[in-house]
Every structure is written in C-alpha cells, then in structure tokens.
Amino acid sequence: MQNRLRNKNANNPDVWTAVHHLQKAIAAGGVDPKLLALVHLRASQINGCSACVHASVAAGKKAGDTDERLHNVAAWREAPFYTDAERAALALAEAATRLQDGAEGVTDAIWEEANAHFTEEQIGAINLEIALTNFYNRINRTIKEPAGQTWG
C-alpha cells in the first residue's frame, strides 16, 4: 500500500497541535493505558485501519498488555481475558464506532454498564479515545497509511 500524502504534518499544524492536546486530555483522564489501547484497537479493527491496528498493538505492549489479550480483542465477548470494566469499554467503543452501519448506537444499557465501572472523567476520556480513534481511522483509510509507519 502506498501512502497518498507525503507530508501529513505540514498540511495543517494547528490541527495536529489540537490533536496532541486531545491526547494529553485523554491520558489525564485516569484510564489505564492498556484499556485505552484495547479501545483504540477494537475501533480500528471495525474500521479496517491497519495503521491504527498496528499502532494500538504497539501501544498495548508498551503499556504492558499481553499478546494473548491483544490478539483476542476482536472476539472479546467470547474470550475470557477481559475484566467486566474492559468489556464495558469495548462495548461502548463498538457501539460508538458502528454508527455508520445504521446500528442503534450507544444504548442506555451500554452507557449504564460503562457508568457502573468508570467515573464520569474516565468515561469522558474513553469517549474521546473512541472519537479520536475514528478520526485517525478515517484519515488513514483515506490516505492509505500503511501499517508500521509513523506520523513523526
């Protein structure tokens, strides 16, 4: 796959400054980086973004997650490797990401389950992570960003 855009960062530095501020806000939200990587991974799998799948696996490993958990997130409902809190976050990520599929979106039940496991600040950070992941996925799919590349 050949990237369609040679210099991604120079196109609008204000956008990338804003994105970095969002990343800092997400990191300050009190959510385990392993969980954020799982959320990023699941949304990226749904959207078919190989660059973000690759990046989220690397982020998960850097945060101390295992290959077993990272490789099974696509089947998290059937895999025994995730906590109830992680399952709630993954359900939230899927529901928020699948909006384009005409799916119901984030139901009250999904929201209540997330609310049972996370503070409002943490849910805000998880929600921002989902939104930012979808942002990255759409950009990367549009410009054909290959897996393993960096955004420098």
Side-chain angles (χ1 to χ4, degrees):
M1 187 157 75
Q2 188 69 22
N3 191 313
R4 292 175 169 162
L5 196 60
R6 288 193 181 110
N7 190 349
K8 299 171 285 286
N9 293 318
N11 290 321
N12 194 335
D14 291 338
V15 169
W16 300 113
T17 298
V19 167
H20 291 303
H21 285 293
L22 284 172
Q23 289 172 321
K24 286 180 184 180
I26 292 166
V31 179
D32 185 341
K34 289 190 293 189
L35 176 63
L36 292 174
L38 291 175
V39 164
H40 189 91
L41 176 57
R42 186 63 193 124
S44 298
Q45 289 171 334
I46 291 166
N47 289 324
C49 179
S50 67
C52 284
V53 166
H54 184 273
S56 53
V57 168
K61 285 184 174 191
K62 183 178 178 184
D65 217 334
T66 65
D67 285 338
E68 183 175 59
R69 285 168 40 87
L70 293 167
H71 289 302
N72 281 281
V73 77
W76 64 269
R77 284 180 178 82
E78 293 78 26
F81 311 120
Y82 309 100
T83 67
D84 289 342
E86 290 167 335
R87 291 174 186 283
L90 290 167
L92 182 63
E94 284 188 0
T97 298
R98 290 209 156 117
L99 294 174
Q100 82 279 358
D101 295 343
E104 192 172 12
V106 179
T107 64
D108 288 342
I110 291 169
W111 186 259
E112 289 167 11
E113 185 65 21
N115 200 41
H117 295 282
F118 302 103
T119 67
E120 190 167 301
E121 182 180 25
Q122 290 172 320
I123 291 174
I126 293 167
N127 195 40
L128 278 175
E129 179 66 27
I130 296 164
L132 191 56
T133 299
N134 279 279
F135 171 82
Y136 284 136
N137 293 165
R138 279 147 182 79
I139 290 172
N140 287 336
R141 292 287 311 270
T142 299
I143 66 169
K144 294 188 173 187
E145 180 74 12
Q149 301 298 306
T150 64
W151 278 78

